[in-house]
Amino acid sequence: MRYAILGDIHANLDAFEAVLEDIGARGGFDELWCLGDIVGYGPEPHACVELLRRHKHVCIAGNHDLAAVGKIGISSFNAPAAQACQWTTQQLTAEDVEYLESLPLESKQGDFSLVHGSPRQPVWEYLISVDDACDNFSYLGTEFCLVGHSHVPLVFRQDRGGHCSGGKLSAETKLGCTGQRLIVNPGGVGQPRDGDPRASYVIYDSDCQVMYHYRVSYDVSSTQAKMRQLELPSSLVLRLTYGY
Ligand code: ZN
């Protein structure tokens, strides 16, 4: 089985479509695993929810999904995020809301746990350091964990002796999944934050137990034009150029 692993789509339909096209060109997928934040920041929340739901998939809730349907407040959001969230809420259909409300905070799929933030704090923790990852392995009930939230492609390993290591996941990396526990962030589809504006995702092939990390260019200026037209905050428009 081949799994497409995507996080932080953030209502960026151009990026989402480019990723799906890229996966298609690489042999396609059997199931899509989405790590939350389908909506928020970007210009096409409804279309992204709809496109995701057209595929066989599993998805867990991100903080922006929960905020868009009022399940959590926006007091911890910065001003542009809060403004985009309020706008997003107005764009969702009743069906979108029902779907987003139904998303669980975590999901177990075989040897994998899926969470937006971390095993310790499924919604909120930004898992970016080896020390934090090391602590989080003790909260993890499975061999592997997939996370989103930081929008940075990362891999953390714990060997059989309990030693942890890890760091940034480079593009075109092939990652063997045997002999170690792993926490992997596929990076962000719709708003990458690692200095590379290209959409980021992972394919997991369960037959050979290998993950592949890919980056995909998309029409950033098209997304930005839509955002300007909708008067979404200019800082959210600009950051897509640089991937921060
Ligand atoms: Zn996010």
Side-chain angles (χ1 to χ4, degrees):
M1 291 271 282
R2 281 164 60 84
Y3 299 89
I5 299 170
L6 273 54
D8 298 284
I9 294 165
H10 278 298
N12 188 334
L13 185 67
D14 296 311
F16 189 13
E17 286 179 337
V19 164
L20 292 177
E21 199 177 309
D22 193 68
I23 302 171
R26 296 181 188 278
F29 62 90
D30 300 296
E31 191 167 296
L32 194 161
W33 288 350
C34 166
L35 303 172
D37 281 2
I38 309 164
V39 303
Y41 296 133
E44 290 171 282
H46 165 70
C48 285
V49 172
E50 205 172 49
L51 180 56
L52 176 65
R53 295 184 70 189
R54 261 188 254 148
H55 295 88
K56 186 178 182 217
H57 75 284
V58 171
C59 189
I60 44 102
N63 52 317
H64 286 260
D65 304 317
L66 295 169
V69 296
K71 277 186 133 183
I72 59 171
I74 54 171
S75 57
S76 62
F77 282 26
N78 61 36
Q83 190 187 327
C85 180
Q86 284 164 336
W87 176 84
T88 298
T89 301
Q90 295 161 13
Q91 313 308 313
L92 299 173
T93 65
E95 232 178 85
D96 297 336
V97 171
E98 195 183 331
Y99 171 76
L100 294 174
E101 282 178 341
S102 76
L103 296 176
L105 299 187
E106 48 197 313
S107 174
K108 288 203 176 15
Q109 302 293 319
D111 289 335
F112 286 80
S113 295
L114 280 57
V115 289
H116 184 62
S118 74
R120 181 166 53 189
Q121 288 181 45
V123 177
W124 287 110
E125 183 173 9
Y126 285 96
L127 200 45
I128 41 181
S129 76
V130 176
D131 284 350
D132 285 341
C134 208
D135 292 342
N136 265 281
F137 276 111
S138 59
Y139 292 83
L140 181 60
T142 53
E143 195 74 343
F144 309 118
C145 186
L146 302 169
V147 303
H149 198 37
S150 69
H151 305 195
V152 176
L154 294 162
V155 57
F156 300 107
R157 305 176 174 85
Q158 186 186 50
D159 68 20
R160 296 303 176 212
H163 177 258
C164 300
S165 60
K168 196 173 167 206
L169 189 55
S170 308
E172 308 294 324
T173 298
K174 183 178 168 186
L175 202 60
C177 297
T178 50
Q180 57 189 347
R181 299 179 84 199
L182 295 172
I183 299 175
V184 174
N185 188 325
V189 170
Q191 191 199 76
R193 293 182 188 165
D194 63 329
D196 183 340
R198 295 176 298 167
S200 183
Y201 76 96
V202 160
I203 292 176
Y204 172 59
D205 186 329
S206 63
D207 294 336
C208 40
Q209 292 185 284
V210 168
M211 287 191 211
Y212 303 90
H213 175 227
Y214 297 110
R215 302 299 292 241
V216 192
S217 298
Y218 72 96
D219 191 348
V220 174
S221 58
S222 154
T223 305
Q224 290 174 316
K226 292 174 199 170
M227 292 173 78
R228 283 194 197 96
Q229 174 98 37
L230 294 163
E231 297 180 352
L232 284 163
S234 55
S235 60
L236 299 179
V237 177
L238 185 65
R239 68 188 303 169
L240 296 180
T241 302
Y242 302 103
Y244 72 91

